[in-house]
Amino acid sequence: ESTGEKSNMRAGGGIHLDAKEYHKMLQKDNTVVIDVRNHYETILGRFDGQQQQVHADEEAKKAEDTASSDSNKNAASGAEYIDPKMRKSTDFKQWLATPETQQKLQKKTVLMYCTGGIRCERASAYLKSQMGDQVEGVYQLKGGIERYLKEFKDGGFWRGKNFVFDKREAVGVENPEGDGGVIRKQDKKKQKQKSLKGGEGDLLAKCCVCGDFWDRYVGKKKCSTCGVPVLMCDKCMSLKPDKRPGMELKVRCPLCVEENITVLAKEVEFTNNGIRSKVVTSKSGNVDEASKDQGANQKNDEMVENVTKISVPQSGKAADSVLKWGGGHANKKKQLKKMKRRICQFGAECIRKDCFFFHPQRETNSGEAET
C-alpha cells in the first residue's frame, strides 16, 4: 500500500500523493490533471510534459513499425492537462458546474495540483462532494509544485516556471532561487533569446501589448478589464499603455482577449467580492445577449438568487469576475463598521443620508416608525 493511500483525507479531500507517486500517475491512461491555480499562473508553467513525452514515444514506434497502427491507437496518452481558466479560486465552482466539465471528468481518474498544495484541499473536497461517485478517484500532489520540483531537479513532467506569491516571483529548473528583483541586463538577453526561439513551446507567456515572449510579472501591471496581473515587457512598459486613454484594451490578460471582454473593470461595479452571477445592462437598459444566456443558465441551476444587475457606462461584454485590489469593497465595509462606532459631531443637524458616523436619533426614529 502506497504512502498516498495511507495519507489523511482531510475534510473529505483527495488522496495525497508524494512527488514520485504523482509522477507515475501522470503517465496513466484515462486520467486528467486539473490545474487548480489561476490562469495568469498557468501561462508560466504547467504539468503537460507527460503528454509530449508519450506523443514522442508514439512517433518513435511508428518509425520502427508502421504496421503497429492498431496498438498505437490503444496506447496510453498520459494524463490530459485541464486548465479551468480561473481568475480567482472562487471560479472553480462555476467551472465544475458546467456540463462540458462534468462530461470531461466522467469515469476518469482525477489528479489535482497547485503551488503548495493548499488550494487543492478545498478544490478536491468540493469535487468529491459533487462528482465523487462519477470519477475513478481524486488525488492531489502533496506539497504542490514546490515539492515536486525539489524531488525532480530536471523538472520531470513540469514545463515552464512555478509562479509564487513572494519575492522569488517565479521558480524554475534553470533558476531554483527565483526570478524576483530588478530586470538585469543578462535577464533581458535571456528573454530576447527565448523570444527569437518562439518562447516556451505552446505556453502563453508573452507581453500583453506587443505579443513577444515575456515571462516576468514586473511593474504591478493589471488587466484593464478584470484586474488580474498581466505580463508586460520592459520595452512596452516604458510606453505606459495602461496610462494612456484609448489604449486600455491593449492591457488585457489572455482570458479577456479570448473571451472578447471589452468593458473596463473600473466602469463596472461588482458586489460580493467580484464573483460571477452578474447580469450586465447598458445605460439604455438593454440587457446584453450573453448576459441573458448566462442569467438563464443560472436560473436553471437554481442560482438566480445570486444574480445582481449592474449598470455599465458602455455597451460590450464584462468579465464574469473582477479582482478588486487595494481593499476594494472589503476595505469600504471595514471603514463603515469602524465609523459606525463614533457618534457624528453634527448630530441631528447632519443632512448626509450616507454619513459613515453613528446617529442615535435616526436609530430611535426608525424604531418608532416600525412600531
Side-chain angles (χ1 to χ4, degrees):
E1 188 176 345
S2 66
T3 56
E5 297 290 342
K6 296 176 183 177
S7 64
N8 180 28
M9 294 167 59
R10 302 169 186 171
I15 297 174
H16 290 208
L17 300 176
D18 61 33
K20 290 181 179 178
E21 292 172 325
Y22 198 83
H23 186 81
K24 290 179 182 177
M25 290 288 282
L26 284 170
Q27 302 173 68
K28 288 194 173 184
D29 194 11
N30 198 43
T31 304
V32 295
V33 53
I34 302 175
D35 198 329
V36 189
R37 303 172 302 153
N38 300 313
H39 187 62
Y40 64 84
E41 301 171 66
T42 70
I43 62 177
L44 293 185
R46 58 183 60 174
F47 272 118
D48 63 357
Q50 68 280 358
Q51 290 176 283
Q52 293 191 351
Q53 176 176 313
V54 170
H55 292 325
D57 292 342
E58 287 179 358
E59 290 298 323
K61 287 179 182 178
K62 286 179 183 179
E64 290 177 8
D65 187 4
T66 55
S68 62
S69 57
D70 291 334
S71 62
N72 283 330
K73 284 180 183 177
N74 298 325
S77 59
E80 178 190 355
Y81 173 79
I82 298 178
D83 179 9
K85 296 185 177 180
M86 301 182 291
R87 290 181 174 88
K88 54 174 68 172
S89 296
T90 49
D91 291 344
F92 185 78
K93 286 186 178 181
Q94 284 80 8
W95 173 77
L96 189 61
T98 61
E100 296 82 6
T101 299
Q102 294 187 5
Q103 186 178 1
K104 190 173 283 188
L105 302 184
Q106 284 281 348
K107 298 180 180 179
K108 298 281 182 69
T109 299
V110 178
L111 303 178
M112 307 178 83
Y113 74 90
C114 58
T115 308
I118 298 173
R119 281 177 280 185
C120 285
E121 295 290 349
R122 291 178 67 110
S124 63
Y126 183 74
L127 191 148
K128 285 187 69 177
S129 70
Q130 300 298 306
M131 296 187 65
D133 58 342
Q134 302 173 50
V135 297
E136 298 298 321
V138 180
Y139 302 85
Q140 61 192 76
L141 178 56
K142 187 178 180 180
I145 307 163
E146 286 262 288
R147 191 81 59 85
Y148 183 90
L149 291 180
K150 286 179 181 178
E151 181 68 36
F152 292 91
K153 302 295 183 182
D154 62 346
F157 290 137
W158 175 261
R159 286 198 312 130
K161 298 178 181 179
N162 178 29
F163 179 88
V164 291
F165 296 89
D166 56 39
K167 291 182 179 180
R168 293 175 298 165
E169 187 186 314
V171 177
V173 175
E174 296 178 359
N175 190 5
E177 300 301 320
D179 294 337
V182 297
I183 303 174
R184 296 160 293 185
K185 286 185 178 180
Q186 54 264 41
D187 295 331
K188 291 182 180 180
K189 287 181 180 179
K190 286 181 181 179
Q191 293 284 343
K192 193 172 182 179
Q193 288 172 357
K194 286 183 179 180
S195 182
L196 292 171
K197 291 178 181 178
E200 298 282 349
D202 58 348
L203 290 178
L204 301 175
K206 60 183 180 181
C207 173
C208 64
V209 181
C210 66
D212 288 344
F213 173 79
W214 187 262
D215 60 0
R216 293 289 307 274
Y217 280 109
V218 291
K220 297 182 180 179
K221 300 300 178 183
K222 303 291 186 293
C223 175
S224 62
T225 49
C226 75
V228 304
V230 291
L231 296 165
M232 189 184 296
C233 69
D234 56 340
K235 185 172 67 175
C236 291
M237 209 178 299
S238 63
L239 302 175
K240 299 182 178 179
D242 53 326
K243 305 291 184 183
R244 295 188 179 186
M247 291 193 69
E248 294 92 343
L249 294 184
K250 282 282 188 182
V251 187
R252 290 187 296 170
C253 69
L255 261 186
C256 284
V257 173
E258 181 183 323
E259 297 172 3
N260 195 27
I261 305 299
T262 55
V263 178
L264 301 181
K266 64 181 180 182
E267 295 173 343
V268 181
E269 183 179 351
F270 279 73
T271 58
N272 202 5
N273 196 27
I275 63 169
R276 297 190 180 198
S277 305
K278 303 294 184 283
V279 177
V280 182
T281 60
S282 64
K283 260 188 173 179
S284 60
N286 297 322
V287 180
D288 185 39
E289 289 299 319
S291 302
K292 275 186 179 179
D293 294 337
Q294 183 186 357
N297 291 333
Q298 289 158 351
K299 193 169 184 179
N300 293 335
D301 294 335
E302 298 180 356
M303 294 173 66
V304 70
E305 67 274 10
N306 294 329
V307 178
T308 306
K309 282 192 176 182
I310 301 172
S311 295
V312 295
Q314 65 181 62
S315 60
K317 187 179 179 184
D320 286 332
S321 57
V322 170
L323 272 69
K324 295 291 184 181
W325 299 87
H329 298 295
N331 191 40
K332 188 177 180 181
K333 284 180 182 177
K334 287 179 182 177
Q335 190 73 5
L336 183 63
K337 190 175 181 180
K338 183 180 178 182
M339 293 303 179
K340 281 288 185 184
R341 300 179 193 142
R342 301 181 186 178
I343 297 177
C344 180
Q345 60 179 336
F346 297 104
E349 297 179 4
C350 180
I351 59 173
R352 288 191 59 180
K353 292 182 180 180
D354 60 342
C355 182
F356 278 159
F357 296 97
F358 180 57
H359 296 81
Q361 186 65 30
R362 292 181 186 178
E363 294 291 329
T364 54
N365 289 343
S366 62
E368 290 174 2
E370 287 179 5
T371 55

